[in-house]
């Protein structure tokens, strides 16, 4: 091994050890425990694939998986399109531009627990939203935002509100890397307004769009804090997601073996998203080079 290569691996070694202890080892341990019956009060008991067979027959698991996919379909498109439009608007020479960017980024740095408690008050029967609607004579009675079957959609709005500024920053980085000469040439050819963005911005921003799509998809699949703080999975499990279900099985029912099986399924779904991203990103980078 060359001295330079040895030094590189030596510098990487502490990070690899930390990753092994904090990430790789727990993953392997969870995979092992998914084949056991374990309640933290006794030693794990090997039961083979019983937990996975139980998953296939667990109607509640399929319901929460469906809820999670609905959450993903509702949140991800909004977090792809809205931040891109906002980034395009905030990439122009506007007065107080820095203040606008900071304003839209503020929700990102608010802890989810605090944001969830605040929005729970906003959505409450006597909360801000119902108060505004009643005073405006839009509705007569309070709308049960978090205690009806539509509670999941109320939580989706909170996720979109909180993620808007984060993905906007990613898009801004991509927009600022596009040469201004391309827009000038398009203007000379008669393209103006949104036509320039459709023919120049959107094709060149494709790698960033794919990145945002995958990051927001993974985040949506792992949603937990919003559900825990605002609805606790209710009413009647209508807003319960796969990670919240995993939490209940692990720390409420103490069925850690079964919870690990749920976690392995979630891990495989997230791995699928990551592999899909790697494949799409390679194709996107190649097409972007052709456009350039």
């Amino acid at each position: 091994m060359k001295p330079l290569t040895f030094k590189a691996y030596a510098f990487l070694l502490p990070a690899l050890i930390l990753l092994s202890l904090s990430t790789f080892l727990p993953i392997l341990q969870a995979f092992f425990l998914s084949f056991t019956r374990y309640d933290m009060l006794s030693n794990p008991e090997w039961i083979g694939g019983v937990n996975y067979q139980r998953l296939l027959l667990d109607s509640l698991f399929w319901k929460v998986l469906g809820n999670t996919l609905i959450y993903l379909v509702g949140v991800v498109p909004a977090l792809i399109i809205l931040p891109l439009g906002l980034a395009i608007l905030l990439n122009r020479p506007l007065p107080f531009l820095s203040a606008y960017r900071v304003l839209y980024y503020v929700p990102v740095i608010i802890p989810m627990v605090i944001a969830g408690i605040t929005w729970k008050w906003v959505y409450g029967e006597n909360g801000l939203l119902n108060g505004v609607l009643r005073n405006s004579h839009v509705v007569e009675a309070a709308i049960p935002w978090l205690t009806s079957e539509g509670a999941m959609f109320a939580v989706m709005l909170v996720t979109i509100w909180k993620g808007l500024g984060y993905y906007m920053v990613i898009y801004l980085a991509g927009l600022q890397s596009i040469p201004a000469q391309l827009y000038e040439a398009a203007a000379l050819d008669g393209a103006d307004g949104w036509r320039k963005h459709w023919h120049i911005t959107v094709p060149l921003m494709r790698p960033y769009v794919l990145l945002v799509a995958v990051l927001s998809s993974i985040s949506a699949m792992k949603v937990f804090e919003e559900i825990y703080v605002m609805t606790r999975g209710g009413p009647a499990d209508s807003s319960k997601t796969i990670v919240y279900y995993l939490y209940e099985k692990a720390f409420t029912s103490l069925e850690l073996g079964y919870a690990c099986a749920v976690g392995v399924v979630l891990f495989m779904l997230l791995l699928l998203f990551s592999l899909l991203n790697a494949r799409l990103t390679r194709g996107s980078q190649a097409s972007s080079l052709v456009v350039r």
Side-chain angles (χ1 to χ4, degrees), residues 111-273:
M112 190 63 241
V113 173
I114 296 175
I117 292 172
T118 303
W119 277 95
K120 189 175 182 179
W121 168 76
V122 170
Y123 282 131
E125 183 177 347
N126 298 315
L128 178 64
L129 184 55
N130 276 319
V132 171
L133 292 176
R134 281 186 299 211
N135 291 334
S136 303
H137 304 290
V138 176
V139 297
E140 294 292 334
I143 299 175
W145 299 102
L146 299 178
T147 56
S148 65
E149 293 294 324
M152 176 72 81
F153 299 99
V155 178
M156 287 180 188
L157 291 177
V158 177
T159 302
I160 294 169
W161 166 80
K162 197 168 189 316
L164 195 62
Y166 178 76
Y167 298 115
M168 177 197 71
V169 170
I170 295 176
Y171 283 136
L172 276 173
L175 288 171
Q176 291 174 3
S177 68
I178 299 176
Q181 293 87 341
L182 293 178
Y183 294 108
E184 294 170 0
L188 292 175
D189 289 337
D192 196 11
W194 288 102
R195 290 176 58 191
K196 292 191 296 184
H197 293 299
W198 180 254
H199 293 291
I200 298 175
T201 305
V202 173
L204 294 180
M205 288 291 290
R206 194 175 302 165
Y208 298 91
V209 171
L210 289 173
L211 175 63
V212 169
V214 172
L215 289 177
S216 58
S217 297
I218 292 175
S219 180
M221 291 290 291
K222 299 191 301 179
V223 63
F224 173 75
E225 293 96 332
E226 298 96 313
I227 304 298
Y228 180 83
V229 174
M230 298 178 67
T231 66
R232 297 296 176 97
D237 302 319
S238 62
S239 64
K240 186 175 292 184
T241 58
I242 189 169
V243 174
Y244 190 86
Y245 182 62
L246 187 156
Y247 162 80
E248 281 190 331
K249 289 299 179 183
F251 301 107
T252 302
S253 304
L254 293 182
E255 298 180 72
L256 265 77
Y258 186 66
C260 286
V262 176
V264 169
V265 172
L266 177 61
F267 172 77
M268 297 304 295
L269 291 173
L270 294 177
L271 181 61
L272 179 63
F273 275 116

